[in-house]
Amino acid sequence: MRFLVRDRLMGIGDDYWIEDERGRKAFLVDGKAMRLRDTFELKDPQGRVLIDIHKKMLALRDTMVVERGGEPLATIRRKRLSLLRNHYRVALADGTELDVSGKILDREFVVEYDGQPLARVSRRWLRLRETYGVEIEREDADAALLIAVTVCVIHLSEREHDSD
């Protein structure tokens, strides 16, 4: 499965569609303005909330929390002891961990589980400016979760870059 994301000059409150490889709207990233913390909702084309994403308020490092139906699904933060600034760890609620590494700001990175790629994010396949693709490698993978992880990692990386 491939998804197309038109990169946004994003601030909280910006909404944007993610399309499937046939150009159909697949997910809406709904940025919530006027909140105390960074908040997004990932919705299906009918407007149903699939995943809630928000910044964890009391954390030593920037941390994003992903929830489905009010239940914690994942916590995302930059890997602490990494030589690479572009390395994030995703701790799933079931104890599983995913690694995200690559050039996040360039939209060239991979989401892996146990060394195996689950999703690849890249601009290389596309000719449109300010657009990147998310390719889900495994058919049994949770596409909405991997899209949410992509949104979080890019958001955290941009915030960190802006504060430098």
Side-chain angles (χ1 to χ4, degrees):
M1 290 181 281
R2 271 193 187 171
F3 297 95
L4 182 71
V5 183
R6 298 203 196 300
D7 224 350
R8 73 276 174 234
L9 300 172
M10 182 157 161
I12 301 301
D14 288 347
D15 301 344
Y16 58 98
W17 281 100
I18 297 173
E19 300 172 352
D20 66 15
E21 54 197 29
R22 295 185 183 139
R24 295 179 299 204
K25 293 177 178 177
F27 301 103
L28 173 67
V29 178
D30 186 359
K32 298 296 181 184
M34 308 305 287
R35 302 272 174 102
L36 289 175
R37 58 185 173 186
D38 299 350
T39 304
F40 307 92
E41 290 177 338
L42 187 65
K43 297 180 177 181
D44 69 11
Q46 291 73 38
R48 291 182 296 254
V49 176
L50 302 173
I51 292 182
D52 290 298
I53 305 166
H54 61 267
K55 184 174 185 232
K56 190 171 183 177
M57 291 296 285
L58 300 173
L60 295 175
R61 290 177 290 155
D62 277 349
T63 302
M64 300 293 288
V65 177
V66 177
E67 296 177 347
R68 180 179 282 146
E71 296 294 320
L73 189 58
T75 303
I76 301 159
R77 65 177 54 100
R78 190 165 66 84
K79 196 170 179 182
R80 192 173 5 172
L81 300 175
S82 175
L83 298 175
L84 305 172
R85 290 181 53 140
N86 292 310
H87 198 156
Y88 289 81
R89 167 137 316 129
V90 180
L92 300 177
D94 68 1
T96 305
E97 289 190 349
L98 307 178
D99 279 322
V100 181
S101 61
K103 298 176 180 178
I104 309 294
L105 292 175
D106 291 337
R107 309 305 191 255
E108 297 291 338
F109 60 94
V110 65
V111 180
E112 296 178 322
Y113 167 69
D114 202 22
Q116 300 297 313
L118 291 177
R120 293 182 194 280
V121 175
S122 181
R123 281 193 165 132
R124 278 185 244 155
W125 329 308
L126 305 164
R127 294 188 180 171
L128 300 169
R129 280 191 82 221
E130 304 304 324
T131 303
Y132 62 92
V134 178
E135 183 171 15
I136 309 297
E137 297 277 328
R138 293 177 43 170
E139 288 187 28
D140 63 340
D142 184 340
L145 173 61
L146 292 171
I147 294 291
V149 166
T150 300
V151 168
C152 290
V153 167
I154 289 171
H155 181 73
L156 288 170
S157 185
E158 286 175 348
R159 284 182 53 90
E160 182 179 319
H161 180 268
D162 289 346
S163 68
D164 286 347

